[in-house]
Amino acid sequence: MSVLPETIFSQFYADQQQRFELLQHQLRQTFDPFGLGETTLKAQKAWLRHPDKLYQAYTSYANDLLRLQGFTLRRYWGEPDTDVIPPHPDDPRFADPIWCDSPFWDSLKEWYLLNTRWLQNNLYATPDLCEQERSISAFWLRQVLNAMAPTNFLLTNPTALATALESRGVSLVKGLDNFMRDMANSDIAMTDLDAFTVGENLATTEGAVVYRGQLLEVIHYEANTPTVHQVPLVLVSPWINKYYVLDLNPQKSIIKYLVDQGFSVFVTSWKNPDSSMAEVSFDDYLTDGVAQIIDVALEISGSDKVNLLGYCIGGTLITTYLAWANRAAAAGAIKTVPVESATLLTTLTDFERPGDIEVFIDEDGLDFIDTVMEKKGYLDGKEMAASFRLLRSNSLIWNYWAGNYLMGETPMAFDVLYWNMDTTRMPKKMHRSYLRDLYWSNKLVQPDALVLAGQPIDLAQITQPIFMVSAEEDHIAPWKQTFTLADRVSGPVQFTLSTSGHIIGIINPPGPKCKRSFWQGEPVAGQDADAWLQDKTQVAGSWWPNWVEWLRPYSGAQVKPKLSSRKYAKLCTAPGTYVLE
């Protein structure tokens, strides 16, 4: 009988512990969903456990501070500027000569740089922290320090003060107008939003919507040549943004370039989901998205195969489709795999190190995103865009904060930035599985760990030839991480590394104004990214012509073009209706 009270007390304490842990989790979700406080506290404790290193860090800071104070005094006595703490060469915040010419503004700049660099360097050097904790701590500290820059405040921004005086306050009035406009839009304008209209000076390549379903419109483009390749080219765009990044204007449009080269081009224009689509899944994007546009392209063209192209998450989707279709064909679930080749642009399939975005990917962060999506049935694109802008906050947030509000300027008209601000929503069920199964659990590279539309996914099932393009400075899909796919598929791979970043490295048309270059070659089995690059020769210009020459042998004979068919008739002209939602 004596066991009974012990059992009761044991159960009682277990229940209390569970409730306490749940309360902790709820408090973190409310006040600190990404674990900044917990990681910061851990860093502080780590330094206190190493007082010798803490002493060295503070001694170094005191020496630098004395050196800066002495230099500041000499500046007031007439010594020329030599930047004791020079800004980074790529940091435009202190580009105005007054930050060097004036001893006062120069000392303010140098004091800010001294403190920010000391804090960042020493936080990253914190003993006993793992690499992920260092990255998370440094990221959030960087956000605070960037926000506190003197250039972000009127009274500590000499350029803004001078502009206000010269304009007799007009710049401040315009800045207030800009601020009220951006508040209404819940976003900081990065470009002149009045300068662009989709269908008028963006997404203007002639074509027709030939299919409209729950998830997508299919756009087929008018031929610009007397004949086209019989095997159509199907472009699967990312549904995180709208498709017209592939058709910005006639000079930058990869769609127009392909049409001019004699290809029959189809593209996905994804529906912008609302709360009614909360239960749309990743399976649906595979079967009602990729499989559907392939069916449309095959029926109109009369071909039995297509060439696929996927950009960013669209590339992740078509990679998944290829693994799914090859497995389904082997199991007899479908007759054949209707794909001749695939092109993957800045495509992640291995999410072990997915770049800077990993600072948001942990259990608490994912739970927080789930809570946000549960309320609305979707994740608003502006919320996701804000996360990506934080990754480059100085150039993508505070640069526009100072220009729009302190200077009263209208941002320069730039089509890529307009497209970047034209965000879309993510269905709850799809985005939850995308973040948890791919980013968090990295199931896509684990054979048969992920089951989609009834088939276990194994990348080794992919036998189709692949042309991969990644970007050297890409922080969304780091090129060394995208490269790992080459050793996981069974078909031949041609890998291309373009200069620049996630967008400009891809939207990189040939011509005399092209300032980009690329490296190209077939990876050897077992070769890592650095070894692959080591013996490659950099080629000046755009990678587009090389890709087209690679694509032609998989594209079939020349046939007369056909825009639509009886089954898939023309519904309206491009760019259609979904892109305007």
Side-chain angles (χ1 to χ4, degrees), residues 347-539:
T347 294
L348 273 177
T349 53
D350 182 351
F351 292 82
E352 182 180 359
R353 297 305 303 269
D356 295 345
I357 196 68
E358 69 182 342
V359 298
F360 300 108
I361 308 298
D362 60 16
E363 284 287 3
D364 284 330
L366 293 175
D367 286 347
F368 175 74
I369 295 171
D370 284 347
T371 302
V372 171
M373 292 193 293
E374 198 65 42
K375 294 176 182 177
K376 297 181 287 188
Y378 58 82
L379 182 67
D380 195 302
K382 289 183 178 179
E383 294 168 336
M384 187 160 50
S387 300
F388 282 105
R389 289 176 73 168
L390 280 173
L391 302 180
R392 297 291 183 271
S393 59
N394 274 339
S395 57
L396 297 180
I397 297 177
W398 301 115
N399 173 53
Y400 296 102
W401 172 278
N404 294 3
Y405 311 146
L406 304 187
M407 305 288 291
E409 299 171 342
T410 299
M412 179 182 67
F414 188 20
D415 48 16
V416 172
L417 291 178
Y418 180 88
W419 165 82
N420 194 62
M421 294 191 67
D422 192 6
T423 57
T424 57
R425 298 177 286 273
M426 301 291 107
K428 177 190 70 177
K429 186 173 183 179
M430 182 284 301
H431 202 57
R432 185 180 191 279
S433 63
Y434 177 65
L435 291 177
R436 289 187 177 274
D437 291 342
L438 274 62
Y439 269 95
W440 181 241
S441 300
N442 201 18
K443 289 183 179 180
L444 189 54
V445 296
Q446 302 170 37
D448 300 342
L450 187 66
V451 177
L452 294 173
Q455 299 296 331
I457 302 301
D458 182 0
L459 299 180
Q461 297 286 324
I462 300 175
T463 58
Q464 289 75 15
I466 295 176
F467 190 99
M468 295 181 66
V469 184
S470 297
E472 185 182 23
E473 300 170 17
D474 194 341
H475 64 282
I476 296 173
W479 81 268
K480 292 181 182 180
Q481 202 65 27
T482 66
F483 184 89
T484 63
L485 178 65
D487 214 31
R488 289 193 167 95
V489 298
S490 299
V493 174
Q494 179 78 290
F495 191 87
T496 299
L497 177 62
S498 174
T499 53
S500 197
H502 191 72
I503 304 300
I504 305 303
I506 300 302
I507 308 308
N508 179 18
K513 294 184 179 180
C514 180
K515 300 178 181 179
R516 313 299 168 196
S517 57
F518 63 92
W519 299 264
Q520 193 172 78
E522 294 186 16
V524 177
Q527 189 177 42
D528 65 21
D530 290 323
W532 173 85
L533 183 60
Q534 191 171 16
D535 63 349
K536 298 297 178 292
T537 301
Q538 190 169 3
V539 180

Side-chain angles (χ1 to χ4, degrees), residues 312-328:
C312 187
I313 188 176
T316 306
L317 181 61
I318 69 167
T319 305
T320 307
Y321 170 82
L322 286 172
W324 173 87
N326 279 285
R327 177 62 67 87

Side-chain angles (χ1 to χ4, degrees), residues 44-196:
Q44 291 174 342
K45 290 180 178 178
W47 277 111
L48 292 175
R49 287 195 300 269
H50 296 81
D52 54 333
K53 294 181 179 180
L54 184 62
Y55 174 76
Q56 291 173 4
Y58 275 117
T59 300
S60 174
Y61 174 77
N63 290 336
D64 286 340
L65 186 60
L66 285 172
R67 186 161 57 95
L68 178 58
Q69 289 174 337
F71 175 74
T72 300
L73 287 174
R74 295 195 299 275
R75 282 294 327 267
Y76 280 102
W77 294 337
E79 183 172 319
D81 178 52
T82 55
D83 271 342
V84 175
I85 315 292
H88 192 278
D90 296 329
D91 186 352
R93 294 176 296 176
F94 304 104
D96 191 316
I98 196 170
W99 288 107
C100 293
D101 297 342
S102 164
F104 173 77
W105 296 114
D106 183 38
S107 62
L108 179 62
K109 172 195 71 177
E110 302 244 9
W111 181 86
Y112 168 76
L113 292 175
L114 169 66
N115 284 279
T116 55
R117 289 185 188 176
W118 183 83
L119 284 169
Q120 289 183 94
N121 291 342
N122 283 285
L123 179 59
Y124 208 81
T126 301
D128 301 337
L129 289 186
C130 70
E131 191 65 26
Q132 185 180 24
E133 289 170 333
R134 293 178 195 275
S135 297
I136 292 173
S137 305
F139 173 81
W140 289 111
L141 176 64
R142 188 161 62 248
Q143 303 314 311
V144 174
L145 296 176
N146 288 344
M148 296 303 295
T151 48
N152 297 334
F153 303 92
L154 178 64
L155 295 180
T156 53
N157 187 324
T159 310
L161 288 172
T163 302
L165 290 172
E166 290 170 6
S167 67
R168 298 185 178 181
V170 171
S171 64
L172 300 181
V173 174
K174 289 182 178 178
L176 181 60
D177 289 342
N178 290 343
F179 180 77
M180 298 305 295
R181 175 205 63 202
D182 289 351
M183 283 285 289
N185 293 333
S186 303
D187 207 354
I188 299 177
M190 296 192 294
T191 186
D192 183 356
L193 299 176
D194 297 325
F196 300 102

Side-chain angles (χ1 to χ4, degrees), residues 211 216 218 286-297 568:
Y211 171 84
L216 81 164
V218 174
L286 191 151
T287 56
D288 297 339
V290 179
Q292 181 61 60
I293 190 175
I294 289 175
D295 286 346
V296 172
Y568 295 114

